[in-house]
Amino acid sequence: GITEDTPEGKQLSVFIETLERKHFDEFGQLNSQIKTDEAFQFNDSPDMLHLIRPVFIIGRQGSTWHGQSQEASTNLAAEQIELRGDVIFHQKENAARIHTQQLLIDNLKKVAYSPAPIELSNERSNTTATGIYIDFDAQTIQLQNQVRTHYQPDRTKPSGG
C-alpha cells in the first residue's frame, strides 16, 4: 500500500484504482454491487473504505435500483454504505427516481434510509419529503416527514367527456 499524509493529517494506507465490490446474501444471491475508479483507506480506520464518485446497484432481479453519488464510505465490518453528495437513485423498471444528499444502505438488513430531504419523481409526479426508508425485500418506500406531492396531468388523453 501507499502511505501518505493527507491535508487532514491522516495517513493514507491504501489507494485503489478501479474497485468493484459485491455483497451476497445468505443464499448466494447478489444483494448489492458498488463500483468506483478511486477508493482509499486511512491507517486509523481499516474497516472503512472511502469511494469517489461510485455507481451502485441494489436489489434483486425485477426490483433493482441503480444509482450514483459524489462520494461514499463503506463500513466493511458492518456491511453498510453511506452515500453522500448528489445521491441519485432510480429504478429502471418504473422510472421512479430519488435524489438526496445522503443515503445509508444496510446490506445485512436489506434496507436504505436517510434523515435528509429527498425528492422522489417519476413521469407524472414530484414528491418532496424529509427522510426516507426503503425496504428492498418488501419492495416498499416510506417517506417520513413533510411529504408534499405535485401531479402533472396526462396531456396525451383527452379531457372531459
Side-chain angles (χ1 to χ4, degrees):
I2 300 170
T3 302
E4 290 182 21
D5 286 328
T6 64
E8 299 88 24
K10 293 184 175 189
Q11 271 204 331
L12 186 64
S13 62
V14 177
F15 180 81
I16 302 165
E17 287 184 35
T18 311
L19 171 78
E20 181 175 356
R21 186 167 194 276
K22 296 179 179 183
H23 180 270
F24 296 89
D25 67 14
E26 63 273 16
F27 305 108
Q29 298 292 315
L30 182 62
N31 197 41
S32 70
Q33 177 178 342
I34 192 160
K35 298 177 185 179
T36 184
D37 289 334
E38 295 178 51
F40 57 91
Q41 277 181 314
F42 293 115
N43 278 345
D44 66 346
S45 52
D47 284 341
M48 295 298 290
L49 188 60
H50 304 276
L51 313 169
I52 306 298
R53 290 177 300 285
V55 294
F56 53 92
I57 301 170
I58 298 168
R60 298 225 171 105
Q61 219 53 21
S63 179
T64 307
W65 289 84
H66 298 254
Q68 63 191 41
S69 66
Q70 290 298 311
E71 60 181 1
S73 296
T74 179
N75 183 322
L76 302 172
E79 291 294 348
Q80 294 179 341
I81 303 166
E82 181 185 1
L83 304 159
R84 294 178 305 278
D86 279 332
V87 181
I88 298 170
F89 206 49
H90 61 93
Q91 226 181 354
K92 289 191 175 184
E93 293 84 8
N94 68 10
R97 180 180 168 108
I98 296 169
H99 182 256
T100 186
Q101 291 301 313
Q102 174 194 18
L103 186 70
L104 184 72
I105 300 166
D106 187 321
N107 279 312
L108 298 178
K109 294 180 182 175
K110 300 176 190 163
V111 299
Y113 52 92
S114 176
I118 66 105
E119 183 177 335
L120 173 65
S121 58
N122 62 31
E123 291 177 358
R124 293 200 192 118
S125 68
N126 186 47
T127 301
T128 58
T130 301
I132 190 168
Y133 184 88
I134 303 167
D135 184 322
F136 296 109
D137 276 348
Q139 299 183 27
T140 58
I141 297 174
Q142 296 175 3
L143 303 176
Q144 304 294 307
N145 298 300
Q146 300 173 345
V147 179
R148 301 218 189 320
T149 300
H150 301 279
Y151 293 98
Q152 294 287 17
D154 184 354
R155 301 197 191 284
T156 62
K157 295 181 182 176
S159 60

